[in-house]
Amino acid sequence: KTQKKATLNSGIFLIRIKNDSTHSRFLFYLLNSKYFTNFLNKLTAGSTINHLYQKDFISFSVPIPINIDEQIAISVILFDMDAEIEILETKVDKYKQIKQGMMQNLLSGRIRLK
């Protein structure tokens, strides 16, 4: 949601949730899902830059839990998983840096193994 008025060109969609029927974070995860990516891969057209036309986007159909509490629960789980993945990726990056430093010390001879 934007704080100010905005103008969109033909290459941008504005998606609005009707009647509070869908939780916004649930929709975010849905649009970032493999299910939606597969839908896009079947429909995109274009030579250099792929395009998704509004008429095609409207045909996207997926069963969404009617209960908003269930959508929120799903969103919370996915959000928590994203947070955990980010923590693990940070740890992996840290360990890779430590490994690189150790390799440099070992290969340069600054540290010798006995």
Side-chain angles (χ1 to χ4, degrees):
K1 190 171 187 177
T2 61
Q3 300 300 321
K4 298 180 181 181
K5 291 185 177 184
T7 303
L8 303 178
N9 69 17
S10 62
I12 299 176
F13 290 107
L14 174 63
I15 301 171
R16 289 193 179 129
I17 299 169
K18 293 182 180 179
N19 306 324
D20 295 328
S21 61
T22 306
H23 188 260
S24 59
R25 187 172 281 165
F26 180 86
L27 181 61
F28 168 80
Y29 283 113
L30 177 63
L31 295 177
N32 282 288
S33 71
K34 191 142 192 119
Y35 187 84
F36 186 69
T37 301
N38 290 339
F39 170 79
L40 289 177
N41 288 336
K42 292 176 187 172
L43 292 178
T44 53
S47 54
T48 305
I49 299 173
N50 288 331
H51 299 280
L52 174 63
Y53 299 103
Q54 187 173 2
K55 66 178 180 62
D56 296 325
F57 180 75
I58 291 171
S59 71
F60 177 65
S61 176
V62 60
I64 295 176
I66 295 172
N67 185 329
I68 198 81
D69 291 334
E70 186 176 355
Q71 293 177 28
I72 291 170
I74 292 168
S75 300
V76 167
I77 290 169
L78 294 173
F79 180 82
D80 290 346
M81 290 174 69
D82 281 345
E84 183 67 23
I85 289 169
E86 190 173 323
I87 290 168
L88 293 171
E89 287 174 343
T90 300
K91 285 182 180 181
V92 167
D93 290 342
K94 177 183 173 183
Y95 292 139
K96 284 182 179 179
Q97 289 174 355
I98 291 170
K99 177 184 173 187
Q100 186 66 30
M102 290 172 67
M103 286 174 54
Q104 287 175 347
N105 286 333
L106 288 168
L107 295 173
S108 67
R110 278 185 257 161
I111 294 178
R112 300 251 184 233
L113 297 178
K114 294 181 180 187

